[in-house]
Amino acid sequence: MAELTMAQAINQALMQTMAQDDTVILLGEDIGRNGGVFRVTKDLFEQFGEDRVVDTPLSESAILGSAVGLAMNGLHPVAEIQFLGFICSGFHQIITQAARLRSRSLGHFTVPLVIRAPYGGGIGAPELHSDSLETFFVHSPGLKVVVPSRPFDAKGLLFSAIADPDPVIFLEPMPLYRAFREEVPSEVYFEPLGKARVVHEGMNLTVIYWGSPGAWIIPTVLSVEKATGSTIEVIDVRTLSPLDEETIIASVTKTGRVLVVHEAVRTAGVGAEIISRIMAEAFYRMEAPPMRVCGYDTPYPVAQLEREWLPNSARVERTLRMLLEY
Amino acid sequence: MAKDWIQYVNKEGELTEGKEIALERTECLALYELMVTCRVFEHKATVLQRQGFLGTYASGLGQEAAQVGSASVLQKNDWLFPYGRDLGAAIVAGIPIDSVFLWLMGHQERWLTPSDIHVHVVPPAVEVASQIPHAVGVAWSTKLRREPQISLCYFGDGATSKGDFHEAVNMAAVFQVPVVFFCENNQWAISTPFARQTAVESIADKASAYGLPSFRIDGNDVLAVYQTVKDVTEKMRETYQPVLIEAVTYRLDAHTTADDPRRYRTDDEVDRWRQLDPLIRAKSYLIRYHQWSESEDDALINKIRKRVDDAWQRANDKPPSRLASVFHHVFYSQTTDLKQQESEVQQDG
């Protein structure tokens, strides 16, 4: 087993899938000779050639719409949108087309398509490069939405996403591409879609997150545990749609307190959905009101303010203490 | 710099000078029968909508030559991407008429595609121009597999103002994938006239911006449409080169059954286009060159009325849709949430 970054783990998953299955093709802007702006598709062009690693025109709607067509006729396209914010230029092809084709054709046409996009804040990028737009896709029946927060999951979830018979939005937290390495099996393995992972067990409070907070949430939780003597369970949701309600409810039923952490703006974020389900299923077990630490309800801020604007260790620590004392 | 105009048969049903038609009588009659089928279907659907059996309906009346002439050219495993007004083309390509009625009724079994259908007919695009990139993707997949299938993609003049048209045509030209971009320029997008969609004289002129060949044809002349699409697709099956065709036609009916076109266009204009009705022209041609008779024409219309009436009967006899069916075909395997919601519905029902 080698220690890989998330960017390397994703690259390896693409390399191995494409070697096994010649119906898998990649398309996107600057993904071929350039290997992608984050080098996630590095070496694939050289390995598989220009018919399977396709540099497209700068044309999000044509990338996504033609990927729908490729998928309709039995290929397994993996489309890259260079930054999630740019997906808005082709948004309708996902929401009104890819998500609905199975249903409107009664299963006659299907769209086994993966749309990969770097997303999330914290890297000092220009405007529209840092937005967390996952709610749009979760709110659209017919799509699956996956967010890995570590290299091992990124590889195993990507295999599952490509094998899935339906469209999958695969969101890659940019700050985690090279934040750390971990051991990643060299072989093919499948992490199931729709399954959350309990990354740290505890009895007094449940923290639920996805994506970038994965880089710092555990040290924050450990320091609060140490200071308060409480134990805190931490769940990485990994798949936002379908949501693993079972794991979430089991944990909160046990702990009676919950904090949801996400980078997306708070109002109508996926945290609201999670909390609503908790209140429906674990109402009588709650010891404190459910809380959220999220992006504020503003357009994503300028680079100088993003660290304060984003959920961070200090904001989470404050809220954890408040919940434990409630 | 509008493109040259391709016409084989003029409005009197006479061969245009210098043109020859290679089709036999039976082949011409087959095209005519399909046009009559579309026309009878349009009339039946409009009546059924007025009687409250169908939802809002967008008629393709007047566009039969453009639809029949092009869709008839398709071969086994080719792909057809209709827009909402192309129900006639879909019928030509093998979607059963009762299935189209179910679509218009808002029945859950809408657009049920027969498993042995000859051509891949995608359910009609509702979001204007959204189907054009799909046609490019499908054509791209056939080229990657070195297969001879082509994609025929319909859209109206309004669609050419949308980004998806430009992005898709550009991409098809860059990758050289076998799509016929077939614009049914029917002069109106609801109340917006062609001159408000574009400052060029002809949609066909737009092709040069992408490096594509293009043709501008008399879209009310079924033989011009058929011959042009046939020639273009025969070549395309070998070269993969995409082509843009503008079929100039006219939307004789309202935008939909919910629209009143007298608010924005004159009766005079509609009457002028009625003189160019594609069915009248095809019939005149058959009478002039193939000894077609009024009595044969009446018999044909009656035969098709019966066929369309029978299809309506089958559609209308279907049991009504059940709410529980909406939970199927969202995903390949039902999610836990959908299972739970379906069981809620079953319990309530």
Side-chain angles (χ1 to χ4, degrees), chain A residues 190-203:
Chain A
F190 294 85
E191 283 295 297
L193 307 187
K195 287 280 174 233
R197 190 161 54 83
V198 177
V199 291
H200 180 73
E201 291 189 10
M203 294 301 294

Side-chain angles (χ1 to χ4, degrees), chain A residues 23 25-27 51-52 54-70 72-75 89 92-93 96-99 101-109 140-144 164-167 241-243 245 277 281, chain B residues 79 81 103 108-115 117 120-127 129-138 140-142 144-147 162-164 167-168 170-171 174-175 326 328-333 335-337 340-341:
Chain A
T23 67
I25 78 166
L26 311 188
L27 66 161
D51 277 356
R52 294 188 62 201
V54 185
D55 280 323
T56 66
L58 204 167
S59 216
E60 283 80 9
S61 193
I63 291 169
L64 296 166
S66 66
V68 169
L70 288 163
M72 282 168 78
N73 198 21
L75 296 186
S89 300
H92 64 295
Q93 282 295 343
T96 67
Q97 305 300 315
L101 192 59
R102 176 186 289 281
S103 154
R104 74 197 300 263
S105 70
L106 303 178
H108 190 79
F109 296 108
S140 189
L143 300 176
K144 294 180 180 171
D164 197 273
D166 288 302
S241 182
L243 201 57
E245 186 176 308
R277 290 179 185 228
E281 298 298 324
Chain B
W79 288 73
F81 294 82
W103 172 266
Q108 178 63 18
E109 284 187 32
R110 67 204 185 276
W111 214 261
L112 196 58
T113 307
S115 55
I117 193 166
H120 303 285
V121 185
V122 178
V126 173
E127 186 189 17
S130 63
Q131 75 281 19
I132 310 177
H134 305 171
V136 174
V138 165
W140 184 1
S141 69
T142 59
L144 284 171
R145 292 175 173 148
R146 311 281 182 265
E147 291 167 350
K162 291 202 55 165
D164 271 354
E167 292 199 23
N170 180 58
M171 192 184 253
V174 170
F175 293 147
V326 302
H328 301 254
H329 302 304
V330 181
F331 295 105
Y332 174 74
S333 357
T335 59
T336 310
D337 286 347
Q340 191 214 322
Q341 290 172 25

Side-chain angles (χ1 to χ4, degrees), chain B residues 11 18 27-28 33 41 92 94 98 122 198 222 229 254 259 311 315-316:
Chain B
K11 70 181 165 75
E27 294 168 300
C28 292
E33 178 166 340
F41 171 80
V92 170
D98 34 333
V122 178
T198 178
V222 69
V229 175
D259 174 47
N316 198 33

